[in-house]
Amino acid sequence: MVARARPTILFDVMGTLVYNPFFREIPAFFGLTHAEFLRRRHPTSWIEFETGRISEAEYLSRFFADDTLFDMDAFRNCVAKAYRWLDGMESCLADVHGAGNQVYTLSNYPVWFRTIEDKLRLSRYLQWTFVSCETGLRKPAPEAFLSAAERIGRRSADCLLIDDCIVNCAAAEDSGMPAIHFRDAYQLRQEFVRRGLIPQQPGSRQILPKFPR
C-alpha cells in the first residue's frame, strides 16, 4: 500500500505559537479593562491595519474612536515586550520542523509580525508565507485557506491548519482543509504523534496512530 503524503502544516501565530497581548497588556497600558478597551477602540482600524490597507502610523492615529492621544513609542514597546512563546510551543514547533514537515504561517496579523520575528525568530522553524497584512486575506474567509493551498501547490485536503480560534478551524474544514483546534502544546503534540507527523517522545505514554483525515 502506498503511504499517504504528509500534509503541509499551516500555523496560526497569535494565541497558538505566540502569546497575544491584546487581552491583557494592551488594555492595561491604557488603564482599561478588556471590555472597556473594546468599547473605546476604533471599530474598523484594526482590520484595516491587519489587512495592510493602512499603515502603522495611520492605525495608531485612529486607535481610539474618540481620537484619544497617547505615547505611541511606549505603546509599541509594551506590545513588543509582551511577545513570548506559549508554553511548550517552541519545542513542539522545532520537533515538527525537524521531522521533515513543510511548515508555514497562516496568520491574521499586521506588520508587527516582523517584531515577533526579530524577537523570537520563528523563521528557524517555519516560513512566514501567509500573513494577512501581506496577502490582504483574513481567516475565516474561505479565500484565505484556498489561496494558501494554491500558492504552495497543494490541495486544501493535503494541508492541515493549527489554530486556537474554533471559528477559523470550522471555516477551514468547510473549505476542505483539515484543522486542529489548538488548546495547548501537550494536546497538539499528541495530535501530531497520532498523525505520524512527529515521533513519540522516549519515556512518554504510547499514543496509538490515528488514520489521517
Side-chain angles (χ1 to χ4, degrees):
M1 183 171 64
V2 177
R4 181 171 176 175
R6 290 185 178 193
T8 296
I9 302 172
L10 300 170
F11 267 98
D12 173 56
V13 176
M14 304 309 295
T16 301
L17 294 172
V18 175
Y19 175 78
N20 190 348
F22 174 76
F23 299 96
R24 183 174 177 179
E25 284 79 2
I26 289 178
F29 177 85
F30 300 104
L32 301 172
T33 66
H34 184 62
E36 290 168 339
F37 169 66
L38 292 180
R39 285 196 298 271
R40 290 190 54 190
R41 68 174 181 160
H42 190 282
T44 65
S45 63
W46 174 253
I47 291 178
E48 292 171 310
F49 183 36
E50 205 172 52
T51 51
R53 287 181 282 166
I54 61 175
S55 67
E56 181 190 58
E58 186 173 357
Y59 168 66
L60 293 176
S61 71
R62 296 168 52 201
F63 194 86
F64 288 108
D66 61 3
D67 297 325
T68 297
L69 299 177
F70 59 94
D71 186 332
M72 295 181 184
D73 288 337
F75 175 74
R76 291 188 195 93
N77 290 335
C78 171
V79 173
K81 184 178 179 181
Y83 291 140
R84 59 175 172 78
W85 288 98
L86 290 179
D87 290 346
M89 285 309 297
E90 182 174 12
S91 62
C92 183
L93 184 59
D95 288 347
V96 169
H97 173 264
N101 297 286
Q102 286 187 319
V103 191
Y104 299 86
T105 61
L106 183 51
S107 173
N108 293 347
Y109 218 56
V111 293
W112 292 345
F113 83 89
R114 295 170 187 155
T115 302
I116 296 173
E117 170 60 20
D118 289 342
K119 184 175 183 180
L120 303 178
R121 297 195 301 127
L122 272 67
S123 61
R124 289 173 291 165
Y125 313 118
L126 50 66
Q127 298 181 56
W128 282 99
T129 308
F130 308 109
V131 186
S132 61
C133 65
E134 295 191 337
T135 65
L137 300 172
R138 292 181 79 254
K139 300 169 294 182
E143 294 80 11
F145 310 108
L146 298 173
S147 175
E150 181 179 7
R151 281 184 57 186
I152 57 179
R154 303 207 69 179
R155 302 180 306 157
S156 294
D158 297 326
C159 300
L160 176 64
L161 175 71
I162 316 299
D163 202 306
D164 68 308
C165 176
I166 196 166
V167 172
N168 291 340
C169 291
E173 293 187 332
D174 286 345
S175 301
M177 180 181 292
I180 295 174
H181 179 216
F182 172 80
R183 291 187 291 278
D184 57 46
Y186 176 76
Q187 164 254 350
L188 183 59
R189 187 176 287 276
Q190 284 186 312
E191 284 289 341
F192 284 155
V193 171
R194 287 193 183 102
R195 294 166 187 259
L197 299 176
I198 59 173
Q200 180 79 30
Q201 288 185 316
S204 60
R205 187 173 59 188
Q206 182 179 11
I207 300 173
L208 297 176
K210 182 170 67 175
F211 188 79
R213 290 184 293 174

